[in-house]
């Protein structure tokens, strides 16, 4: 059987890795939902876009937004996650969700943050299960 070929230490590391992935996934889902429940929606203007290059030559774009909060203050914050889809022209307007003490905003109409959180959680649970079965087998 496949699982009996996994050494105990390797299975324990895989299970620990699964716990960490699951925790990050759950935290991501909770953070996004917290913004959706308690955040205030603003129409924000893109003021700058940082380009992040990865090793495969793909690019991710990390926009910074400017908007006026409920108290009338001009606020400038980046998004919480870089995006590989470039639709952040400087001067374009996008709906964002903001929390007063947060250091970043969340794009209001995107569901990708939920999907990545669910994917991390599912991957973590799979790693945890394989690790636990490998430790027992």
């Amino acid at each position: 059987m496949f699982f009996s070929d996994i050494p105990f230490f390797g299975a324990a590391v895989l299970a620990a890795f699964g716990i960490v992935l699951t925790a990050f996934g759950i935290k991501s889902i909770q953070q996004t939902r917290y913004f959706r429940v308690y955040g205030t929606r603003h129409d924000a203007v893109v003021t700058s876009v940082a380009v992040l290059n990865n090793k495969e030559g793909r690019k991710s774009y990390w926009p910074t937004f400017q908007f006026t909060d409920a108290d009338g203050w001009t606020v400038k914050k980046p998004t919480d996650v870089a995006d590989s889809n470039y639709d952040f022209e400087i001067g374009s307007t996008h709906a964002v969700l903001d929390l007063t003490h947060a250091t970043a905003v969340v794009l209001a109409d995107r569901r990708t943050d939920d999907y990545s959180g669910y994917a991390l959680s599912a991957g973590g649970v799979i790693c945890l299960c394989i690790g636990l079965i490998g430790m027992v087998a």
Side-chain angles (χ1 to χ4, degrees), residues 12 16 21 29 34 45 50 57 61 66-67 69 78 109 112 117 119 132:
L21 274 181
I29 293 167
Y34 190 78
V45 176
Y61 302 94
Q66 181 174 324
F67 56 92
D69 68 5
D109 299 325
T112 54
L132 291 175

Side-chain angles (χ1 to χ4, degrees), residues 25-129:
I26 290 170
K27 183 177 184 221
S28 173
I29 293 167
Q30 287 175 339
Q31 178 185 6
T32 302
R33 289 193 177 165
Y34 190 78
F35 268 90
R36 288 197 178 117
V37 171
Y38 298 107
T40 55
R41 187 180 181 101
H42 302 281
D43 289 328
V45 176
V46 177
T47 58
S48 66
V49 179
V51 180
L52 307 170
N53 294 313
N54 64 15
K55 294 179 183 176
E56 291 85 31
R58 290 182 290 189
K59 295 179 180 180
S60 293
Y61 302 94
W62 199 346
T64 298
F65 294 98
Q66 181 174 324
F67 56 92
T68 304
D69 68 5
D71 296 328
W73 293 93
T74 300
V75 179
K76 210 176 210 184
K77 291 183 181 180
T79 57
D80 63 338
V81 178
D83 193 336
S84 60
N85 298 323
Y86 185 74
D87 61 349
F88 301 109
E89 294 287 335
I90 293 177
S92 63
T93 302
H94 300 271
V96 297
L97 296 174
D98 179 50
L99 293 171
T100 304
H101 300 294
T103 58
V105 294
V106 171
L107 292 169
D109 299 325
R110 295 272 172 110
R111 292 282 183 203
T112 54
D113 290 339
D114 283 346
Y115 295 139
S116 63
Y118 287 126
L120 278 174
S121 296
V125 168
I126 290 169
C127 289
L128 177 63
C129 290

